[in-house]
Structures are given as C-alpha cells and as structure tokens.
Amino acid sequence: MERSNALFASAVAYAYLVASGLKVVTSPEQVRELARLVKSGEASVDEIARELRQWSL
C-alpha cells in the first residue's frame, strides 16, 4: 500500500503540472524514481520540488 501511495502521489503531481498548463516531459522511469525517493524518505521537500521542476519546460 505504501509503495502504491508514493506512486499515486507522483502521478497526481504529474497531472497537476499538466492541468496547470505546463508542458511536461518526463518518463515513467522518472515518475517511479520520484516515488521511490518519496517512499524511502531520502528526498527532502526541496529535492522533490526540484525534481518536479525538471519535468516541465
């Protein structure tokens, strides 16, 4: 369940960026990697935000 929640959160972040009108360029691998970092607790909020900014043009 925890793994699914992190992956779902990453997918929601992607959808939010798209709904906000941003052009999003990412791969399933990047979405999974972000979910892995979130689940493991290895990433700070700033690092997550930095990763999400890299997803958009």
Side-chain angles (χ1 to χ4, degrees):
M1 181 74 144
E2 221 175 276
R3 179 178 182 274
S4 297
N5 287 342
L7 189 55
F8 179 75
S10 297
V12 168
Y14 173 89
Y16 178 80
L17 293 172
V18 170
S20 295
L22 296 173
K23 174 139 174 86
V24 178
V25 262
T26 190
S27 66
E29 292 79 16
Q30 287 175 296
V31 174
R32 281 193 303 271
E33 177 61 17
L34 180 60
R36 187 192 67 74
L37 289 173
V38 168
K39 180 182 179 256
S40 71
E42 294 176 29
S44 68
V45 171
D46 289 333
E47 291 169 327
I48 293 167
R50 190 175 316 118
E51 180 67 24
L52 290 173
R53 279 192 293 276
Q54 292 177 9
W55 288 9
S56 60
L57 297 175

